[in-house]
Amino acid sequence: MAAVAHGLGSDDVLQQVSGLTPLQSLGIPIALLGAVFMSLGAIYQHRGVTKVEAASRHEAAHGLSPRHLVRLLTRPSWIAGTVMLGLAILLQLTSLALAPLVIVQPLGVVSLVITTLVTARQIRIPLSPQKWLAVGMCVVGVGAFVTVAGFYSVQVVIVEWQIVTVLLVMVAVIGVYALLFALFRRKSKALFYIVGAGVIYGFVATLAKITINRVQHGNVEWLTLICIAGILIGTAAGAYFVQTAYASGPPDMVIAGLTVIDPLVAVVIGVSVLLEVNGAPWFTYVLFIIFGALAVAGVVVLERGQTMAELDATKKRALGRSATERDPGTG
């Protein structure tokens, strides 16, 4: 009644209560559908990378060579996975155009559940209690994070200083990771590439949100074009790390890192630079830290819970259909 007395419509009341308008809420199911395609894309890309590595007889766990990359383009399984991931990206961009970044970006954790269950079914190894715990920690952590953010997140007009800040930090992060990759690639494990891809994709998602926001407000100029260039560069760098991670870890582990680290980085940027939860009470930030830490801990638990039997079974499953292929470059 008080809201009506102050001239607020039903949509305004809904926004005050839930933090999202009906149109913004539409971004949630779109993001969930994107998570399904992300899961399927990861499974098929992992199959393609595994077959390319086996056919080339050169280990790719410490970095894909140009020959590996070229051969991936001849693998139908990898191409199919890439198409699915492309659809996932389009759905994610659509959801970002409708709803705040801090809401839709973390919903990709659904793909972790799908990928973990599908992988376990394919290799016929039941999920261990440790894996169930890890997946639960990721889902609860990210789910609680989304719930809290949903009450206080708002759409904002992004200004130039915010864009420049995001771009500069992204350049610094990619530079640091490139240096670490050059120095320690021979000693790096899957988690190194997963974290790198997750961090870079967090910036890519933020730049995509910024670009969409600028276009929606008619601010298409040189800074917007730089953001688009940053999206392309970040996508290529993140994709390389993801493909290398597939060569040294199972698809559920890769998805776990991406669906937790990617949104956490994006949300940190959304909160600290884009000010999407500006004005929220202090305890909101405490909850962000608690639930974010829980989700990250879930990734660590999942990584430590991987057994050699599971890794071998995952690779054998990926190579299982190669015997029916006429040429090593297909399938």
Side-chain angles (χ1 to χ4, degrees), residues 127-151:
L127 292 179
S128 65
Q130 185 172 352
K131 274 202 168 185
W132 280 114
L133 174 63
V135 172
M137 291 170 67
C138 291
V139 172
V140 171
V142 175
F145 197 107
V146 172
T147 301
V148 174
F151 284 98

Side-chain angles (χ1 to χ4, degrees), residues 82-266:
T82 302
V83 171
M84 292 178 188
L85 289 177
L87 291 174
I89 292 173
L90 290 177
L91 291 168
Q92 182 186 49
L93 292 176
T94 302
S95 66
L96 286 172
L98 295 173
L101 181 147
V102 296
I103 294 296
V104 298
Q105 188 66 10
L107 293 178
V109 75
V110 172
S111 63
L112 168 60
V113 179
I114 298 173
T115 308
T116 302
L117 293 178
V118 170
T119 300
R121 181 178 178 84
Q122 287 182 338
I123 65 177
R124 293 182 172 85
I125 297 179
L127 292 179
S128 65
Q130 185 172 352
K131 274 202 168 185
W132 280 114
L133 174 63
V135 172
M137 291 170 67
C138 291
V139 172
V140 171
V142 175
F145 197 107
V146 172
T147 301
V148 174
F151 284 98
Y152 299 104
S153 61
V154 294
Q155 291 279 41
V156 295
V157 177
I158 302 172
V159 296
E160 290 187 359
W161 74 263
Q162 294 171 312
I163 301 174
V164 172
T165 300
V166 173
L167 288 170
L168 290 177
V169 175
M170 178 180 176
V171 169
V173 167
I174 291 180
V176 169
Y177 238 90
L179 179 61
L180 293 174
F181 176 70
L183 295 176
F184 304 110
R185 59 181 297 180
R186 294 297 177 185
K187 300 179 181 179
S188 300
K189 297 182 179 180
L191 193 59
F192 171 82
Y193 301 106
I194 292 167
V195 172
V199 171
I200 293 173
Y201 279 150
F203 279 95
V204 169
T206 304
L207 290 180
K209 179 64 176 179
I210 290 173
T211 301
I212 292 171
N213 185 280
R214 301 287 284 181
V215 172
Q216 288 175 332
H217 292 88
N219 296 322
V220 181
E221 26 67 60
W222 66 272
L223 202 53
T224 304
L225 297 179
I226 292 179
C227 287
I228 295 175
I231 292 172
L232 296 177
I233 294 172
T235 300
Y240 179 82
F241 278 164
V242 167
Q243 304 311 313
T244 303
Y246 286 142
S248 54
D252 56 335
M253 184 63 222
V254 177
I255 288 295
L258 294 181
T259 56
V260 173
I261 296 178
D262 173 344
L264 287 182
V265 170

Side-chain angles (χ1 to χ4, degrees), residues 309-326:
E310 290 173 332
L311 295 176
D312 291 341
T314 302
K315 282 199 170 187
K316 288 180 180 179
R317 168 64 185 181
L319 296 171
R321 299 181 183 179
S322 59
T324 64
E325 297 168 355
R326 293 178 299 175

